[in-house]
Structures are given as C-alpha cells and as structure tokens.
C-alpha cells in the first residue's frame, strides 16, 4: 500500500462563466490524453453526527459510469485530504444510502449536479465543470481541477499538477483552498463546526 493510497491531491481553480473552454480543450488535446469524457454527475453530500464529531463528510456519487460512496476529511486547505471510496453496484441505490446515513444521524445534506468534461492522463485527471446546487436557485460555480493520480510521494504529485497547470495556462493562477461544499454552500461547514 502506498502512503498516498487514501489521499486526494488536487488543485481547484474557480473560473468565470466566460472562461475560454475551447482554448483549454485545445491545450489538453495537444497533451494527448488517454481519453476524454463529457458527463453529468449527481453528488449528494451528507454530514452525519459521526462526521461532525470526527471532521468528515460523506459523498454519494452516481453517474453513467460510476457509483460510489466516499468519505472525505474536512481540512483548512482542500489541496490534500483523506478520501476513501467504496464502489457500489451500478444500479440506483439512493434508498440504501439514505438508510445507511440516517442510521448515523444526518445533521446536514445537500445535492448538486456537475456538468463536466474530464481528460484522463496516466498521472493526472483534469476536469472542467459547472456545478449547480438543487437548493440554491441557480447558484453555479465554474471550476477547473487538476488531480494527481498514481504517485508514490507528495512531491511527485505536486510536480505532476504543476506541469499540467503550466501547460494549460494555470501556472500562475491562484487556486482556491476551499472544497466544493464550501463553494456551493458557503458557511455551512463552519456552522456545523467542521472547519478546522
């Protein structure tokens, strides 16, 4: 088992709605990704009593290719955090997940949709998406993320992300330390005393 097995290492950049996605696509195509996907993802987030006490949030993700339950730690800077993914059966399991989290005492929940485009490389996943929350009256966040994958050390992971950022015009951009939950529902994690 590698040291980074249960770590998510990513840089998130909030971009304006006017972001030039076509230029970004061209820059990534020039790097020859293994594959590119366009999909819509539904993420349901839950803070349970255990999560509130121990500093984590649960995410239930379901799209056409992936169905998983994820535990993510809440940290001051989302660059590096614990992430444990449990693969689920491909069919809809909303009722089962609802019962599972209800047994742990749900103190908050939120649902968002991501319309995303992802470029898969051997060492990095690059994503552009627009996230909208079901309960936020059209509130949308536009983001670009670089997530290092399959590295053995933190230094290697950071170097991989820096390379892709530089080659796509994000080398000097300022990333956000906030998680997507913080961006979509500002203040909710602090209200639940989940912010370190």
């Amino acid at each position: 088992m590698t040291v980074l097995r249960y770590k998510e290492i990513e840089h998130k950049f909030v971009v304006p709605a006017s972001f030039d996605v076509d230029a970004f696509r061209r820059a990534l195509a020039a790097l020859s990704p293994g594959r590119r996907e366009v999909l819509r993802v539904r993420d349901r987030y839950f803070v349970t009593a255990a999560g509130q006490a121990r500093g984590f949030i649960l995410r239930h993700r379901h799209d056409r290719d992936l169905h998983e339950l994820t535990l993510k730690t809440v940290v001051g800077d989302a660059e590096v955090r614990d992430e444990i993914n449990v693969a689920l059966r491909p069919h809809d399991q909303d009722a089962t997940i609802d019962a599972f989290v209800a047994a742990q005492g749900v103190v908050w929940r939120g649902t968002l949709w991501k319309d995303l485009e992802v470029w898969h490389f051997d060492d990095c996943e690059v994503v552009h998406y627009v996230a909208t929350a079901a309960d936020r009256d059209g509130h949308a966040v536009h983001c670009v993320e670089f997530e290092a994958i399959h590295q053995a050390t933190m230094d290697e992971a950071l170097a991989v992300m820096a390379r892709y950022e530089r080659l796509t015009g994000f080398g000097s951009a300022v990333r956000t330390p906030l998680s997507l939950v913080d961006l979509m529902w500002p203040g909710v994690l602090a209200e639940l005393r989940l912010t370190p």
Side-chain angles (χ1 to χ4, degrees):
M1 170 171 49
T2 67
V3 174
L4 303 179
R5 181 173 178 191
Y6 297 115
K7 295 288 183 192
E8 175 186 53
I9 304 161
E10 77 175 16
H11 285 169
K12 184 189 316 297
F13 299 87
V14 177
V15 296
S18 60
F19 176 69
D20 191 345
V21 180
D22 288 332
F24 189 60
R25 286 183 184 117
R26 288 191 296 273
L28 287 162
L31 300 175
S32 302
R35 76 182 198 277
R36 176 186 153 271
E37 296 178 277
V38 176
L39 41 118
R40 182 153 204 192
V41 175
R42 186 202 62 191
D43 286 342
R44 299 190 310 148
Y45 290 92
F46 303 91
V47 175
T48 62
Q52 189 175 26
R54 302 199 54 184
F56 67 83
I57 192 163
L58 297 173
R59 180 189 69 198
H60 175 218
R61 171 166 285 172
H62 198 181
D63 62 44
R64 72 169 185 248
D65 300 322
L66 190 65
H67 194 186
E68 66 185 9
L69 184 63
T70 302
L71 181 149
K72 290 178 177 263
T73 53
V74 176
V75 294
D77 184 340
E79 178 183 44
V80 179
R81 58 187 170 163
D82 293 345
E83 179 179 277
I84 302 167
N85 293 299
V86 178
L88 302 172
R89 291 185 216 160
H91 64 273
D92 187 1
Q93 291 185 284
D94 285 4
T96 303
I97 296 301
D98 288 344
F100 178 82
V101 297
Q104 300 175 56
V106 175
V107 295
W108 178 85
R109 70 178 66 219
T111 300
L112 63 81
W113 291 91
K114 282 194 216 175
D115 292 296
L116 62 84
E117 196 166 352
V118 58
W119 293 264
H120 298 273
F121 297 91
D122 289 340
D123 54 358
C124 191
E125 289 182 354
V126 182
V127 182
H128 170 264
Y129 62 83
V130 178
T132 54
D135 62 347
R136 294 289 318 276
D137 293 329
H139 175 65
V141 175
H142 300 248
C143 293
V144 168
E145 292 180 359
F146 298 86
E147 182 174 353
I149 55 173
H150 309 306
Q151 286 78 43
T153 69
M154 188 67 65
D155 287 342
E156 289 174 8
L158 294 173
V160 162
M161 291 188 302
R163 177 178 170 266
Y164 284 94
E165 289 164 12
R166 187 179 67 255
L167 293 171
T168 58
F170 281 84
S172 60
V174 177
R175 69 177 179 82
T176 181
L178 301 176
S179 71
L180 187 54
V181 171
D182 285 315
L183 292 169
M184 293 304 296
W185 296 279
V188 74
L189 296 180
E191 288 171 23
L192 295 169
R193 295 189 176 92
L194 269 166
T195 303

